[in-house]
Amino acid sequence: MGVAALIVAAGRGVRVADAGLPKQYLDLAGKPVLRRTLDLFAHRADVDRIQVVIHPGDRFLYDRAAVGYGPGLAPPVGGGATRQLSVLAGLEALAPFDPDRVLIHDAARPFTPADAIGAVMAALASSPGAIAVQPVTDTIKRGQGNGPIVGTVPRDGLWRAQTPQGFHFRSILDAHRRARDAGSTGFTDDAALAEWAGLEVVLVPVEGLNMKITTPEDVTLARAMLTQPFSVAETCTLETRIGNGFDVHRFASGDHVWLCGHRIPHSASLEGHSDADVGLHALTDAVLGAIGDGDIGQHFPPSDPQWKGAASHHFLADAVRRVRARGGRIVNADVTLLCEAPKIAPHRDAMRARLAEILGITIDRVGVKATTTEGLGFTGRREGIAAMAVATVSLPA
Ligand code: MG
């Protein structure tokens, strides 16, 4: 057999008293701690067998927590008087299957990242022992009881020993048997026992949350984390904002117009300080309106010579940056152009593609429509082009 996982769940969890249950059977957002820990290993293709060591009095709790796993989960075995002896009982139960390697893990560490388990396993290719560790971040003091400080322990080279702790199976089984036979039964982790036995153990620094549920505060924290998603984006409630924009530019002499970032040959051009892209201007105001951040004239004043003849996609791109700076995103945009000419339909998809590119969204989220005004008003008299736009923005509340 390749790899076995040995889950140590025999403790009584005396520091946590919640519903009278040992901590490994406490409910964490609908699942017992032990079941969450089992899931860390049960879903791995590189773990062949899982052995749990339990307190003999917890069989009912175990059966309830471990229901529904396949044959890869062995029947539980009863633990011993100390953690060390419980691990030995688990190793002896695995011995007939002769696994190549074993990962020993605390039942009370249900959050261990999959990468950490994989890293410890990988380290066993070049060492008989490997353990997950994280750096000591607090300054360590030595005191006289709770009394005055008698020294500060240099933090360099200090690591917090966690689990999983992986070993070549035959080596750690042999070390455990020798420790028991020598009457040394108080090792608090398997790496300490391995050191005692002269077995080399390497440190595998792991990242992420690998907390051991020990105190009532840990239980509260673990429950809070599971009911509140981890990422900032997820913890924020997203709200939907809508902004609208409107713009008009008059015709002047020329041979093309810019509309929605697309150049169209025409018998006249639109007059303006920039390239007079009425569609982009309306949409820029819609995006700015959705986030309540002024308007295009405020951010790019016509009095500023640097915007003379400017390509208007810069204005829309700036509005999109303002949305992103608030952690938001554009959901969709819709532009309506009002004019008798030029004909918009042949250019519609090119405009949609260009707007989608500037907005950073897919083309199916962009609408471009056109209408005449039936010969009425300034657009009907072909004096200029008007544009209306709506933008929807999703923003953390
Ligand atoms: Mg304008």
Side-chain angles (χ1 to χ4, degrees):
M1 188 196 289
V3 176
L6 174 53
I7 312 296
V8 192
R12 305 310 282 153
V14 290
R15 278 170 288 188
V16 175
D18 180 297
L21 294 178
K23 61 188 177 183
Q24 60 271 35
Y25 298 108
L26 290 178
D27 179 85
L28 288 187
K31 262 193 210 180
V33 173
L34 175 61
R35 190 172 184 85
R36 292 186 178 277
T37 303
L38 285 171
D39 284 343
L40 300 178
F41 297 93
H43 298 147
R44 295 186 72 98
D46 52 6
V47 171
D48 302 296
R49 188 175 182 85
I50 303 175
Q51 177 67 62
V52 184
V53 186
I54 66 171
H55 188 282
D58 292 343
R59 183 60 195 256
F60 172 75
L61 292 169
Y62 173 85
D63 286 344
R64 210 170 52 171
V67 70
Y69 290 97
L73 178 62
V77 294
T82 64
R83 184 189 187 280
Q84 178 190 331
L85 293 174
S86 291
V87 172
L88 177 56
L91 293 172
E92 294 289 5
L94 285 167
F97 301 92
D98 199 24
D100 182 38
R101 288 158 286 162
V102 61
L103 298 175
I104 302 168
H105 191 66
D106 298 325
R109 291 188 200 270
F111 298 119
T112 304
D115 287 353
I117 296 170
V120 169
M121 206 182 294
L124 294 177
S126 53
S127 175
I131 69 168
V133 294
Q134 291 192 315
V136 173
T137 51
D138 293 326
T139 297
I140 305 293
K141 302 291 184 187
R142 181 173 285 118
Q144 267 179 347
N146 291 337
I149 291 169
V150 296
T152 297
V153 182
R155 205 162 59 188
D156 294 347
L158 290 187
W159 296 90
R160 293 181 292 139
Q162 302 179 336
T163 69
Q165 301 197 345
F167 302 94
H168 292 182
F169 183 79
R170 282 288 148 193
S171 304
I172 195 68
L173 176 60
D174 174 64
H176 262 276
R177 284 173 175 167
R178 283 198 283 136
R180 177 203 53 203
D181 293 346
S184 300
T185 58
F187 290 110
T188 52
D189 79 344
D190 301 286
L193 187 147
E195 292 160 45
W196 170 85
L199 212 56
E200 183 191 85
V201 180
V202 295
L203 304 175
V204 181
V206 299
E207 296 192 340
L209 183 73
N210 194 20
M211 73 183 288
K212 184 177 183 181
I213 295 175
T214 306
T215 66
E217 291 75 21
D218 295 337
V219 176
T220 303
L221 181 64
R223 285 176 176 157
M225 286 188 305
L226 287 166
T227 49
Q228 297 201 352
F230 287 76
S231 79
V232 173
E234 284 169 327
T235 51
C236 291
T237 306
L238 293 173
E239 61 181 29
T240 302
R241 304 283 199 89
I242 296 172
N244 80 80
F246 179 76
D247 195 30
V248 174
H249 282 262
R250 74 167 69 235
F251 280 126
S253 63
D255 60 3
H256 69 276
V257 293
W258 283 95
L259 289 174
C260 298
H262 183 68
R263 189 181 190 275
I264 303 175
H266 191 51
S267 55
S269 288
L270 290 172
E271 190 177 80
H273 187 66
S274 64
D275 65 6
D277 189 327
V278 69
L280 280 181
H281 294 183
L283 183 52
T284 301
D285 268 356
V287 172
L288 292 172
I291 58 171
D293 191 356
D295 62 19
I296 191 170
Q298 178 187 334
H299 298 301
F300 303 97
S303 56
D304 187 337
Q306 70 168 307
W307 307 120
K308 182 162 175 55
S312 296
H313 62 82
H314 293 298
F315 307 152
L316 181 58
D318 181 75
V320 172
R321 268 194 298 277
R322 289 169 187 272
V323 170
R324 296 210 177 117
R326 295 175 186 215
R329 65 185 181 89
I330 312 285
V331 177
N332 78 306
D334 186 22
V335 178
T336 300
L337 299 166
L338 298 92
C339 57
E340 301 291 327
K343 284 256 175 284
I344 301 302
H347 306 284
R348 180 207 303 267
D349 286 339
M351 293 177 179
R352 293 174 64 217
R354 181 70 182 120
L355 293 181
E357 184 184 5
I358 302 166
L359 294 166
I361 58 180
T362 52
I363 192 168
D364 59 299
R365 293 172 181 270
V366 180
V368 172
K369 310 184 303 299
T371 183
T372 70
T373 52
E374 299 289 338
L376 299 173
F378 67 87
T379 53
R381 293 189 298 271
R382 298 172 186 252
E383 293 169 3
I385 298 180
M388 303 190 301
V390 174
T392 311
V393 167
S394 182
L395 210 61

